[in-house]
């Protein structure tokens, strides 16, 4: 009988040892003070050890050697001792080489006859792949939600852009008219200037929203990033407080990238003004650094292929950001600025612009130690275009006669006054059909026609075509508040047609007028 019992015992022991040693799950027993009593081969491999004996020999403090977050060990002990067991407990542990994995644990507390805990025993599954898949799915869901937000914003922006820009055109035009009156001085002039400044902010806001919706056209061309940087630093030196010390280091002449010049100007200025805000009220140092670098295969980050890049670093000594803030800074409408000082669109726009030209942006920051943004753009070997010169003076007219057509009386009156001030002779019409009859009666009378796009009767492009049929050499500028201006490329009169975006910047518009009129000077019929 004793012999049979011993044989049965040995068979049972061998069976259960086989299960223990060959199980795919990790199995263990450990003491409350953090020592393993026994582990199986699966758990040893999971933790990066060759044999179970290596775990027993080298792990003497489970709390600090195994747990990624040592304080979670206290939570585990509290749960398993109060409830007697835990099931499906998920947390991160540290492998022998320092890498982290996710595990799911089921365990119980084994007690002696007095109710004291002798040891814990449990089963552990490696769920790292599942956790990574969940994280990837969450990222994709966030991206989809953000894309839906941007689509909604774009739809809204496209719907209101025309009316919004028309209103801005009226407000800004009449404010500028008032400011041109030198008799207006003191607080009244200051108030008007503040109103104009706010109008420009509103104009910038609608442009940013339209960029998000992909409803604005960009002009990608080879540009020198260093030249744009120098121009932006000049503007920042003039506009930022004196307590911001701006440094510029251009460490490469190989700085040509394919980009939209205006958009890159926005990127640089936005990062600079954000940095200045982060250094309030004490001030600090704002550094721009430009250099070139080359990534070989296997060295690149994110989705950047191997190749040569131009790297722009924007670094400040401001208050910095914690990890939670850094995760949100590129989200639309997220801002740390007080109400009225920021829209939360700046960094989202920066990220969108950089991604749109095949680049990548990273951020490094620590509370109290400042922030560094790095932008990587593919280097181009194309010949760069020249940066535009500054045109900050209104060019006067030469008594040319202009017909202005717009169904918005407020815009019509404002445009008439502004062009009269600039030296043009102006006739206005609020109806496109009436304007067409006026032109038919004396087609040789007008040097140029300036017309709105969205009007009852005839749309602006239709009106322009009928003018051309009457007199083929008449130049026509079409004004529009729409974010997608009409295309004249198929018009028979395309060379004498162009578009001006509302609200009108009259400095730029005056140069535009002169280039258009002087180019057609040989066909001018001004009386």
């Amino acid at each position: 009988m004793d012999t049979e019992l011993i044989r049965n015992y040995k068979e049972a022991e061998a069976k259960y040892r086989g299960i223990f040693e060959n199980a795919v799950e990790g199995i263990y027993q450990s003491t409350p003070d953090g020592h393993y009593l026994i582990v199986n081969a699966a758990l040893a491999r999971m933790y990066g050890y060759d044999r179970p004996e290596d775990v027993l020999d080298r792990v003497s403090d489970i709390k600090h050697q195994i747990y990624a977050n040592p304080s979670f060990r206290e939570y585990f002990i509290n749960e398993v001792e109060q409830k007697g067991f835990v099931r499906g407990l998920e947390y991160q542990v540290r492998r022998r080489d320092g890498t982290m994995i996710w595990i799911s644990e089921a365990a119980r507390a084994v007690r002696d006859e007095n109710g004291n805990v002798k040891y814990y025993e449990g089963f552990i599954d490696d769920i790292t792949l599942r956790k990574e898949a969940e994280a990837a799915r969450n990222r994709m869901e966030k991206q989809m939600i953000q894309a839906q937000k941007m689509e909604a914003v774009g739809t809204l922006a496209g719907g209101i852009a025309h009316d919004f820009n028309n209103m801005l055109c009226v407000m800004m035009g009449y404010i500028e008219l008032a400011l041109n009156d030198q008799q207006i001085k003191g607080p009244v002039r200051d108030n008007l200037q503040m109103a104009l400044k706010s109008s420009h902010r509103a104009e910038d806001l609608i442009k940013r929203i339209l960029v998000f919706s992909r409803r604005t056209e960009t002009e990608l061309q080879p540009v020198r990033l260093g030249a744009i940087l120098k121009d932006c630093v000049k503007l920042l030196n003039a506009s930022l407080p004196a307590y911001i010390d701006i440094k510029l280091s251009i460490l490469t002449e190989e700085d040509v990238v394919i980009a939209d010049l205006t958009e890159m100007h926005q990127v640089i200025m936005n990062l600079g003004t954000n940095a200045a805000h982060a250094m309030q009220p004490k001030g600090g140092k704002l550094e721009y650094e430009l250099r070139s670098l080359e990534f070989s295969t296997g060295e690149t980050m994110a989705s950047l292929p191997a190749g040569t890049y131009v790297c722009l670093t924007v670094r400040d000594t401001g208050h910095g950001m914690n990890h939670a803030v850094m995760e949100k800074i590129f989200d639309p409408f997220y801002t740390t600025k007080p109400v009225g000082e920021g829209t939360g669109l700046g960094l989202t726009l920066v990220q969108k612009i950089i991604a749109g030209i095949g680049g990548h942006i990273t951020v490094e920051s620590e509370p109290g130690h400042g922030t560094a943004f790095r932008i990587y753009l593919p280097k181009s070997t194309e010949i760069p275009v020249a940066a535009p010169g500054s045109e900050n003076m209104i060019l006067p007219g030469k008594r040319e006669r202009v017909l202005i057509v717009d169904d918005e009386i407020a815009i019509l009156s404002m445009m008439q006054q502004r062009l009269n001030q600039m030296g043009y002779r102006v006739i206005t019409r609020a109806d496109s059909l009436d304007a067409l009859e006026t032109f038919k009666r004396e087609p040789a009378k007008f040097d140029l026609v300036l017309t709105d796009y969205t009007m009852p009767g005839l749309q602006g492009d239709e009106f322009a075509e009928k003018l051309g049929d009457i007199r083929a050499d008449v130049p026509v500028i079409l004004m529009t508040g729409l974010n997608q201006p009409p295309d004249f490329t198929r018009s028979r009169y395309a060379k004498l047609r162009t578009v001006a975006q509302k609200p009108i910047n009259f400095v730029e518009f005056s140069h535009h007028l002169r280039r258009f009129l002087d180019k057609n000077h040989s066909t001018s019929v001004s009386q």
Side-chain angles (χ1 to χ4, degrees), residues 272-342:
T273 52
N274 271 7
H277 182 270
M279 291 185 279
Q280 292 177 346
K282 296 181 179 179
K285 183 181 292 186
L286 168 59
E287 294 181 272
Y288 285 97
E289 180 186 278
L290 191 66
R291 58 190 175 92
S292 61
L293 52 83
E294 186 167 349
F295 287 134
S296 59
T297 304
E299 292 182 337
T300 57
M301 63 185 67
S303 57
L304 294 179
T308 306
Y309 291 83
V310 180
C311 176
L312 170 63
T313 301
V314 183
R315 185 184 296 108
D316 67 66
T317 57
H319 50 63
M321 297 176 283
N322 58 35
H323 183 71
V325 173
M326 279 198 292
E327 285 189 335
K328 297 179 181 179
I329 58 173
F330 294 115
D331 291 349
F333 305 113
Y334 176 80
T335 180
T336 59
K337 297 176 182 177
V339 175
E341 293 188 20

Side-chain angles (χ1 to χ4, degrees), residues 165-166 168-170 172 203 206 480-481 501-505:
N165 283 328
N166 270 345
L168 279 176
C169 190
V170 172
M172 295 168 69
E203 177 189 10
I206 197 68
T480 180
Q501 196 76 35
K502 293 179 181 177
I504 303 295
N505 179 320

Side-chain angles (χ1 to χ4, degrees), residues 248-513:
L248 174 61
S249 299
I250 297 180
L251 306 178
T252 180
E253 294 183 357
E254 298 181 354
D255 61 347
V256 179
V257 298
I258 301 298
D260 181 279
L261 191 146
T262 301
E263 286 188 346
M264 288 311 303
H265 192 277
Q266 281 183 296
V267 166
I268 296 166
M269 293 295 289
N270 189 284
L271 292 177
T273 52
N274 271 7
H277 182 270
M279 291 185 279
Q280 292 177 346
K282 296 181 179 179
K285 183 181 292 186
L286 168 59
E287 294 181 272
Y288 285 97
E289 180 186 278
L290 191 66
R291 58 190 175 92
S292 61
L293 52 83
E294 186 167 349
F295 287 134
S296 59
T297 304
E299 292 182 337
T300 57
M301 63 185 67
S303 57
L304 294 179
T308 306
Y309 291 83
V310 180
C311 176
L312 170 63
T313 301
V314 183
R315 185 184 296 108
D316 67 66
T317 57
H319 50 63
M321 297 176 283
N322 58 35
H323 183 71
V325 173
M326 279 198 292
E327 285 189 335
K328 297 179 181 179
I329 58 173
F330 294 115
D331 291 349
F333 305 113
Y334 176 80
T335 180
T336 59
K337 297 176 182 177
V339 175
E341 293 188 20
T343 62
L345 295 175
L347 288 176
T348 316
L349 176 61
V350 167
Q351 186 186 51
K352 182 180 178 69
I353 290 172
I354 298 306
I357 55 178
H360 183 64
I361 182 169
T362 66
V363 57
E364 298 172 8
S365 189
E366 187 179 340
H369 293 84
T371 300
F373 286 91
R374 287 186 175 83
I375 294 171
Y376 300 87
L377 297 174
K379 186 176 80 69
S380 172
T381 56
E382 295 185 38
I383 299 174
V385 298
S390 66
E391 299 177 338
N392 55 7
M393 298 291 290
I394 288 181
L395 293 181
K398 301 176 181 178
R399 300 287 295 161
E400 290 96 341
R401 202 177 288 273
V402 178
L403 173 62
I404 304 179
V405 188
D406 199 308
D407 61 313
E408 293 276 351
I409 300 300
I411 292 179
L412 200 62
S413 175
M414 180 272 295
M415 292 296 297
Q416 181 180 30
Q417 293 181 64
R418 289 307 305 270
L419 264 68
N420 280 337
Q421 284 184 350
M422 291 162 60
Y424 295 94
R425 291 179 289 172
V426 177
I427 294 175
T428 62
R429 292 292 182 270
D431 180 270
S432 55
L433 295 174
D434 184 25
L436 186 62
E437 291 301 316
T438 299
F439 188 82
K440 280 181 179 179
R441 286 194 294 270
E442 296 183 274
K445 182 177 181 179
F446 302 101
D447 295 284
L448 181 139
V449 177
L450 185 61
T451 178
D452 187 32
Y453 175 58
T454 306
M455 296 184 295
L458 293 172
Q459 291 279 76
D461 53 348
E462 297 175 301
F463 176 60
E465 286 301 291
K466 290 186 179 296
L467 294 178
D469 292 341
I470 297 168
R471 193 184 119 204
D473 65 347
V474 62
V476 179
I477 297 179
L478 192 148
M479 300 182 297
T480 180
L482 294 175
N483 49 308
Q484 288 183 312
D487 184 4
F488 281 120
T489 54
R490 295 184 180 180
S491 169
R492 286 175 293 169
Y493 315 108
K495 292 182 179 181
L496 293 170
R497 303 290 180 267
T498 191
V499 176
Q501 196 76 35
K502 293 179 181 177
I504 303 295
N505 179 320
F506 280 94
V507 173
E508 294 179 2
F509 189 64
S510 71
H511 288 260
H512 201 46
L513 280 172

